[in-house]
Amino acid sequence: MARCVTRVELSVSCRSLLDRDVGSASDPLCALLQDVGGGQWAELDRTERIKNCQNPEFSKKLVVDYYFEKVQKLKFGVYDIDNKSLDLNDDDYLGGIECTLGQVVSSSVFTRPLELKQGKPAGKGTITISAEEIKDTRVVYLEIEAQNLDKKDFLGKSDPFLEFYKQSDTGTWQLVYRSEVVIKNNLNPCWRKFSVPVQTFCGGDFNKPIKVQCADYDNDGSHDLIGTFETNLTQLQKAGDGSQVEFECIHPEKKQKKKSYKNSGIIRIKSCKTETEYSFLDYVMGGCQINFTVGVDFTASNGDPKSPDSLHYISPDGINEYLIAIWSVGSVVQDYDTDKLFPAFGFGAQVPPSWQVSHEFALNFNPSNPYCQGIQGIVDSYRQILPQIRLYGPTNFSPIINHVARFAAHSAQQRTASQYFILLIITDGEITDLDQTRQAIVNASKLPMSIIIVGVGEADFTAMEFLDGDNGVLKSLTGEPAARDIVQFVPFRQFKNAPREALSQMVLAEVPKQLVSYYKWQGWPPVKLPELKMV
């Protein structure tokens, strides 16, 4: 399963802490705990202790692994430390907060009042947390050609390829890149432009020795060395904007044997550029809002909502598969949307007062303002609307996809990475307008949006899997391919007996990659650029 895992560094400061020490101020320390389920909390990290300070700014950062597709519940606890024991149970509690990591990373600065317990404030104490991703996000792009390479093959010319090695701290050489293009029978090859993360290429040290080997490819793996040279990224970077950097390709044995030996060819660096590759967190922390829209299938194939075998039947404990899907996906996404107002629509039902079939009616029956307040608002609207509509048909996806696409297209006109749209469609799977839906998805693939389809019930979901595009690029009826893969389909039945968070992890795992791929394709950086933070 794809995972957006990265390390996040949390900076913590507090103001107006309670004073628990007689004759001096408290000696605070902040501990970070994570919810591990079943009401249990595990400590992840803690700051240093600062003596006699009611407004501490901790220098020790708290480090946590981050997953977009999980709700990661955190607890920050501030303690007054008056002994040398590591156990916090014997120290005075100065207050704490509970929040999610998603809330922290989607706020540039996250400030909350400290509480001694729920609803009981810890005096005027507050805690402020800011997040930063730990990584070198730069990538080096290289364009390389060669001239007059030695002929190595008896019957033909050489088939040259390149290998790059960085020198480790122990002096050994570690392979960091091998050119995938073996250029057949060519002593003057020009290799395809390629990229390597700076962290991989030289560990972020632009003066770290790099060894480049040029060899003649043989199918049996017994590649013949043509020649080698050493350089570093600082030297390589001199290439570009019309100026090239040349290196003599030297074969050590030939150099020893022949006094007249000059070289085994020239390797020419045409261009070497270092660029920043932004991550999902860079965009979210840089101000990108994720807009969440829900589309619910109200077609007759779901069954009469009053009947216990209907997919829309709400059980005595107040749930059904539609509601579980809304809760599990929405609870993750809502942390990335500041106004917490989510448009929610139904399709495939006859709607009062005219009883016309509608394929995009507002769940709150307010077409001019279809926004629900939070995920609970969507759930409430769904429960209220069920007895008031008639399940009908057909099952058309394209109207609601096109609806969200109009908003995404409007946002894209700003040419900034400020808004991304996620459409969750929950359906029993009997799609009617497959051709129109294919076209709608191909059109949407050029916009800042992703589509998640959760299939409920026991239907045949072949059409949904086709839309997912995992078995090849989805094409419209006219043959136009999707610009990128934006659909993730998951059948609910696979998660019936799994923990509720398993569904959200599966359906949201692809979203970070889809968001980054869109903004990279457009060449749009985050609205607020991150400061470079090295490991």
Side-chain angles (χ1 to χ4, degrees):
M1 177 163 55
R3 283 191 163 175
C4 170
V5 62
T6 186
R7 307 209 89 193
V8 173
E9 187 179 83
L10 304 176
S11 301
V12 180
S13 62
C14 300
R15 292 288 173 269
S16 307
L17 290 179
L18 291 171
D19 188 359
R20 294 293 197 204
D21 288 355
V22 178
S24 67
S26 295
D27 306 328
L29 166 155
C30 180
L32 169 64
L33 297 92
Q34 183 162 359
D35 181 6
V36 289
Q40 301 297 306
W41 295 85
E43 185 177 332
L44 295 180
D45 207 351
R46 58 173 71 180
T47 66
E48 79 280 17
R49 166 197 181 209
I50 298 180
K51 282 193 170 184
N52 297 326
C53 184
Q54 285 179 277
N55 300 301
E57 190 159 335
F58 299 102
S59 66
K60 160 85 171 63
K61 311 298 182 192
L62 303 172
V63 176
V64 58
D65 285 338
Y66 165 82
Y67 299 83
F68 168 68
E69 65 272 19
K70 291 183 182 180
V71 174
Q72 290 173 268
K73 288 184 185 163
L74 302 179
K75 185 188 283 186
F76 293 83
V78 183
Y79 295 84
D80 175 20
I81 309 295
D82 285 323
N83 55 41
K84 291 187 176 173
S85 122
L86 290 173
D87 186 2
L88 297 172
N89 290 319
D90 56 5
D91 297 300
D92 287 327
Y93 186 54
L94 301 178
I97 63 160
E98 290 183 24
C99 61
T100 69
L101 186 53
Q103 287 172 315
V104 176
V105 301
S106 59
S107 314
S108 50
V109 178
F110 184 78
T111 301
R112 289 289 184 275
L114 289 165
E115 293 186 330
L116 292 170
K117 58 185 181 187
Q118 197 165 7
K120 185 179 180 186
K124 293 181 178 174
T126 63
I127 186 168
T128 296
I129 305 150
S130 60
E132 208 168 351
E133 190 172 7
I134 310 174
K135 63 186 260 224
D136 188 331
T137 58
R138 292 169 298 178
V139 174
V140 58
Y141 290 87
L142 284 151
E143 285 184 84
I144 301 178
E145 63 184 17
Q147 201 171 355
N148 300 329
L149 295 177
D150 281 359
K151 179 175 178 293
K152 287 287 180 182
D153 292 347
F154 178 64
L155 292 171
K157 297 170 186 173
S158 295
D159 308 326
F161 68 98
L162 297 173
E163 288 183 325
F164 286 73
Y165 295 82
K166 71 177 172 192
Q167 195 169 35
S168 70
D169 295 336
T170 58
T172 57
W173 293 101
Q174 181 188 357
L175 180 68
V176 295
Y177 178 78
R178 178 183 289 120
S179 67
E180 50 194 308
V181 183
V182 176
I183 299 177
K184 299 278 186 188
N185 288 324
N186 193 339
L187 302 180
N188 301 295
C190 183
W191 287 277
R192 260 198 326 226
K193 185 178 181 179
F194 64 92
S195 65
V196 188
V198 167
Q199 194 70 42
T200 306
F201 196 73
C202 61
D205 178 357
F206 282 38
N207 294 314
K208 187 187 279 284
I210 301 286
K211 183 168 75 174
V212 183
Q213 277 187 189
C214 183
D216 172 35
Y217 180 86
D218 282 323
N219 285 330
D220 62 5
S222 62
H223 312 310
D224 300 316
L225 180 67
I226 294 173
T228 182
F229 64 90
E230 283 187 34
T231 181
N232 58 41
L233 189 48
T234 302
Q235 280 185 308
L236 293 171
Q237 279 193 304
K238 292 173 183 169
D241 295 327
S243 60
Q244 301 180 337
V245 179
E246 292 187 352
F247 297 92
E248 287 189 293
C249 207
I250 303 297
H251 194 295
E253 288 175 20
K254 283 189 175 182
K255 190 177 181 182
Q256 273 187 331
K257 285 179 187 170
K258 284 185 184 176
K259 281 190 178 174
S260 60
Y261 176 79
K262 279 181 71 178
N263 58 52
S264 294
I266 301 289
I267 302 283
R268 191 177 293 124
I269 314 299
K270 293 165 67 183
S271 155
C272 174
K273 284 186 182 151
T274 305
E275 295 178 7
T276 300
E277 288 235 316
Y278 298 109
S279 69
F280 174 71
L281 274 191
D282 288 332
Y283 285 107
V284 168
M285 291 175 176
C288 183
Q289 288 287 305
I290 294 180
N291 300 281
F292 180 53
T293 303
V294 176
V296 178
D297 179 343
F298 287 108
T299 52
S301 51
N302 283 276
D304 180 354
K306 298 188 192 73
S307 165
D309 54 7
S310 166
L311 293 168
H312 280 297
Y313 176 74
I314 297 176
S315 66
D317 55 357
I319 60 165
N320 63 25
E321 291 184 12
Y322 280 91
L323 287 170
I324 293 171
I326 291 168
W327 265 121
S328 53
V329 178
S331 61
V332 173
V333 175
Q334 68 178 348
D335 284 344
Y336 300 86
D337 188 315
T338 43
D339 65 12
K340 305 283 184 283
L341 293 171
F342 305 116
F345 299 93
F347 58 91
Q350 292 177 322
V351 181
S354 66
W355 300 106
Q356 293 290 309
V357 174
S358 172
H359 298 294
E360 46 172 310
F361 57 91
L363 283 197
N364 62 6
F365 278 155
N366 185 349
S368 61
N369 184 11
Y371 296 92
C372 300
Q373 182 66 54
I375 303 307
Q376 185 63 53
I378 300 176
V379 170
D380 293 344
S381 294
Y382 169 83
R383 286 184 168 142
Q384 285 164 13
I385 203 173
L386 258 182
Q388 301 182 57
I389 57 173
R390 293 183 196 143
L391 274 58
Y392 205 72
T395 311
N396 291 353
F397 281 11
S398 59
I400 194 164
I401 294 173
N402 290 331
H403 177 96
V404 175
R406 284 194 291 276
F407 285 89
H410 181 71
S411 166
Q413 287 171 359
Q414 297 171 27
R415 306 196 62 75
T416 61
S418 55
Q419 305 269 338
Y420 195 83
F421 295 79
I422 294 177
L423 168 60
L424 169 65
I425 298 175
I426 315 168
T427 178
D428 72 344
E430 304 285 340
I431 185 167
T432 315
D433 66 336
L434 187 59
D435 293 341
Q436 292 92 328
T437 296
R438 281 164 64 183
Q439 185 64 57
I441 292 169
V442 168
N443 295 345
S445 71
K446 307 183 194 92
L447 297 170
M449 70 180 277
S450 294
I451 301 167
I452 294 162
I453 304 173
V454 175
V456 295
E458 301 300 321
D460 176 7
F461 291 123
T462 312
M464 302 297 118
E465 284 156 359
F466 169 71
L467 295 175
D468 192 319
D470 280 353
N471 301 322
V473 179
L474 177 74
K475 292 181 178 170
S476 70
L477 200 60
T478 58
E480 182 188 358
R484 54 197 186 91
D485 180 12
I486 63 165
V487 179
Q488 175 79 345
F489 166 72
V490 176
F492 186 90
R493 56 182 173 232
Q494 287 180 3
F495 297 89
K496 258 194 172 153
N497 302 313
R500 194 170 288 192
E501 61 270 17
L503 176 68
S504 61
Q505 287 173 33
M506 185 70 185
V507 299
L508 292 171
E510 299 291 330
V511 168
K513 201 166 60 180
Q514 292 171 356
L515 180 147
V516 170
S517 76
Y518 175 77
Y519 291 129
K520 185 179 176 184
W521 179 51
Q522 294 291 354
W524 299 346
V527 178
K528 286 195 310 241
L529 292 175
E531 292 174 25
L532 185 63
K533 190 81 181 170
M534 311 281 269
V535 175

